[in-house]
Amino acid sequence: MMGTNYPYPVLPPNDGVGIFNDVSEYLRSSDVTFGNLEGTLLNSGGTPKKCMDPKHCVAFRMPEHYAGYLKEAGFDIVSIANNHAGDMGNEGRESTAGTLDEYGIKYGGQYDHPTSIFIKNGIKYGFTAFAPNTTTLPLNEYKTVTKIIRELKTQCDICIVSFHGGAEGSGATHVPFRREIFLEEDRGNVYDFAHTAIDAGADIIFGQGPHVPRAIELYKNKLIMYSLGNFCTYGKFGLGGAAGIAPIMKIFVNSKGDFVKGTIIPIKQIKRGIPIYDETRAVINLIRSLTRSDFPQTDLEITDEGSIIKK
């Protein structure tokens, strides 16, 4: 979320130009780079969403040309399945999709655009995403989850899945292995979802939603990242503690989508939400600790430098 012009402008310096400068070398270094687009791309207008609890209702509307910053930084695909994808109603959803098309960024996760398939370096990738929100592919309907992923896998070599689920905040760093309710919303059982998705054919799973990092797990040789935290959330989130650090996860898989190795590149946010490399490597230590605690039997080891190694 690179800033918002609603209900009043909260935008980065220099209109956001260079917001990813400190981290773009990492984002551009992969065959495919994924991110979660937390909000809408719309210059003006739209119908702001209504929430069950107005005290916790926040809507994001990013200027459309900000999609160019994503493209320049190296993003190939984004999820539009989250609780901010509908912040500006149908007009916001349509503008977001049209803008992403204009800039050549693939996306998925809405009923009217559930999946994307594309070829890069001779490999055919498929992408889809799920969330417990209006018009998004349903995180909690496992029959639908299985059907969509199973069909997608028949059309691609590597199947990438994203989910937006779980409770939020500093108390939500651990995977609870149960259904999570937050602000009266059913945020799903992310452990059950991830395993269901891999059973259906997913090769790699990127999770988000809690706004703090969570553990990683290896299941059937496929990597699950249960939450990647806040990477770029300009101006609208408290960024203290775990909420202000995040990983860029560089993951290597083989031609079957099986995990080979990975690296956690540690990031923190400064100046209200600009991502930079974190010399303290705080998120490496946090994810290692959470993984050892929540998944002590998983076949992964994380080194001090952030290397992710199969045991």
Side-chain angles (χ1 to χ4, degrees), residues 152-194:
L152 181 61
K153 180 60 177 176
T154 66
Q155 303 173 63
C156 65
D157 301 309
I158 305 296
C159 182
I160 303 167
V161 173
S162 168
F163 73 82
H164 194 93
E168 296 183 16
S170 59
T173 53
H174 288 280
V175 178
F177 304 97
R178 56 173 170 76
R179 192 169 297 278
E180 297 178 75
I181 307 297
F182 184 76
L183 298 180
E184 301 182 36
E185 182 178 69
D186 186 346
R187 297 287 185 92
N189 182 324
V190 297
Y191 176 81
D192 282 352
F193 168 85

Side-chain angles (χ1 to χ4, degrees), residues 18-310:
I19 191 170
F20 296 116
N21 277 359
D22 199 75
V23 296
S24 60
E25 64 178 293
Y26 308 114
L27 299 172
R28 293 173 183 160
S29 67
S30 293
D31 296 321
V32 175
T33 298
F34 161 80
N36 173 49
L37 185 63
E38 189 93 351
T40 58
L41 293 163
L42 179 66
N43 287 335
S44 61
T47 304
K49 69 181 180 184
K50 296 181 180 179
C51 305
M52 290 185 289
D53 186 350
K55 294 180 181 179
H56 295 92
C57 198
V58 179
F60 300 137
R61 189 178 65 191
M62 290 170 273
E64 292 161 31
H65 67 274
Y66 277 36
Y69 304 152
L70 295 174
K71 186 68 174 179
E72 291 167 7
F75 286 96
D76 298 287
I77 49 175
V78 295
S79 170
I80 54 171
N82 54 64
N83 60 333
H84 288 284
D87 280 3
M88 292 293 145
N90 287 334
E91 185 177 350
R93 293 186 187 94
E94 292 171 1
S95 176
T96 299
T99 302
L100 292 171
D101 285 336
E102 178 184 348
Y103 283 91
I105 299 172
K106 302 298 183 182
Y107 56 94
Q110 294 276 331
Y111 271 113
D112 60 357
H113 196 109
T115 64
S116 279
I117 297 174
F118 59 99
I119 297 174
K120 197 165 185 183
N121 299 330
I123 303 295
K124 183 179 284 188
Y125 296 91
F127 172 74
T128 190
F130 300 84
N133 307 104
T134 304
T135 77
T136 65
L137 298 186
L139 176 77
N140 294 318
E141 296 178 15
Y142 291 168
K143 287 184 179 180
T144 301
V145 169
T146 297
K147 181 176 184 293
I148 290 171
I149 295 174
R150 188 168 287 161
E151 290 180 357
L152 181 61
K153 180 60 177 176
T154 66
Q155 303 173 63
C156 65
D157 301 309
I158 305 296
C159 182
I160 303 167
V161 173
S162 168
F163 73 82
H164 194 93
E168 296 183 16
S170 59
T173 53
H174 288 280
V175 178
F177 304 97
R178 56 173 170 76
R179 192 169 297 278
E180 297 178 75
I181 307 297
F182 184 76
L183 298 180
E184 301 182 36
E185 182 178 69
D186 186 346
R187 297 287 185 92
N189 182 324
V190 297
Y191 176 81
D192 282 352
F193 168 85
H195 283 227
T196 297
I198 288 174
D199 289 342
D203 293 307
I204 187 166
I205 297 183
F206 294 100
Q208 68 272 331
H211 294 294
V212 289
R214 282 185 168 183
I216 61 176
E217 180 194 14
L218 195 65
Y219 173 65
K220 294 185 175 180
N221 275 327
K222 312 296 185 182
L223 188 68
I224 304 168
M225 292 155 279
Y226 280 98
S227 177
L228 299 182
N230 291 329
F231 168 67
C232 177
T233 53
Y234 191 84
K236 281 293 185 178
F237 289 106
L239 296 176
I245 58 176
I248 293 176
M249 305 291 288
K250 189 166 186 178
I251 307 302
F252 294 81
V253 297
N254 63 19
S255 60
K256 296 180 180 180
D258 292 334
F259 174 78
V260 175
K261 63 179 180 178
T263 301
I264 300 173
I265 300 166
I267 304 300
K268 66 179 180 181
Q269 293 187 66
I270 61 169
K271 298 179 180 178
R272 301 195 71 187
I274 296 174
I276 69 168
Y277 185 87
D278 181 12
E279 299 286 353
T280 72
R281 303 176 179 175
V283 77
I284 295 174
N285 295 327
L286 178 59
I287 293 176
R288 178 170 56 187
S289 174
L290 292 170
T291 300
R292 289 174 175 174
S293 172
D294 293 356
F295 298 98
Q297 303 304 318
T298 199
D299 292 328
L300 294 173
E301 185 61 50
I302 300 171
T303 69
D304 290 344
E305 294 74 28
S307 295
I308 307 171
I309 303 166
K310 292 176 69 173

